[in-house]
Amino acid sequence: ENTNSLLYVPTVVESITVRCVIKDSIGQTVTSNTATLTAKIAPLSASITPTNVPIDLLGKTAHFTVMAIGGHGPYTYNWVDVEDSRVNKGQGTNTLSCTPNQVKTYEYYCIVTDSAGNTVQTETVSVIVKPLEVKINDGAEKYTISYIKDESVVLKAKATGGLGPYTCIWYEIGFDESKLDYDWIPVHTGPSYEVGPWFSHEIRLEVTDATGNTATASVWIEVTDQIN
């Protein structure tokens, strides 16, 4: 009022028509032409970050956040599990935490609703749980040790994925009296196994995680009498 400019800050979607009445010092007035001011609000949109989270071990937690813009705030959030379509994960907030307990891919999206009832669905994001994998030491397939030198080699289990803790059992071929035949016989339990220069043979490692999933790896021990 009483200025030659107008500051208009809209709070809702609307159109208003304005004009200015000018009055001079002796009371003469003149009315300007009209102008229409239209306030527009960006359409509701939403996105999630991050989009994909790889998890190498069950029990770890992935976190997602949805960002909503446009429309009419405040917003409400409904997270949906793609597999079972249950709504209201995330307790109605713009964040979701996922702690996988199975080796699989978990997928989610969020339905965002503004105060005017407009809704938008985000893209689907995922938590990818890596399966249980195991290798012996650095993954070597063979070790050569000398009988004369009385050498030995320490084999170490390296497990990833699945759900810890892990159980490690080492096997060698031996005579199974219950079967009256040769078969894999458990010879040691633990994350490492030291093998001496007894004879050339294969050693197998079996790792079981807390959910009962198993993975195996094997290595050949070559025993030689030659002094290198």
Side-chain angles (χ1 to χ4, degrees), residues 35-131:
T36 299
L37 305 178
T38 301
K40 296 182 178 179
I41 294 180
L44 177 63
S45 63
S47 60
I48 301 175
T49 56
T51 54
N52 296 292
V53 178
I55 288 184
D56 60 1
L57 186 65
L58 289 174
K60 290 185 177 180
T61 301
H63 303 279
F64 297 99
T65 301
V66 61
M67 175 66 70
I69 59 174
H72 306 265
Y75 309 107
T76 58
Y77 307 89
N78 289 312
W79 292 86
V80 179
D81 186 319
V82 172
E83 184 176 27
D84 60 22
S85 298
R86 288 182 296 179
V87 183
N88 290 328
K89 287 183 174 292
Q91 293 75 49
T93 68
N94 70 326
T95 60
L96 174 70
S97 297
C98 171
T99 305
N101 57 12
Q102 297 181 52
V103 178
K104 65 177 186 178
T105 297
Y106 295 76
E107 294 182 311
Y108 305 95
Y109 61 86
C110 187
I111 298 174
V112 180
T113 305
D114 69 8
S115 59
N118 301 306
T119 63
V120 65
Q121 178 178 317
T122 68
E123 72 277 29
T124 298
V125 296
S126 61
V127 178
I128 304 170
V129 183
K130 296 181 179 179

Side-chain angles (χ1 to χ4, degrees), residues 4 6 12 30 34 54 60 77 87 91 118 129 160 165 185 214 223:
N4 65 344
L6 172 68
V12 296
V30 62
T34 60
K60 290 185 177 180
Y77 307 89
V87 183
Q91 293 75 49
N118 301 306
V129 183
T160 58
I185 304 296
T214 62
V223 178

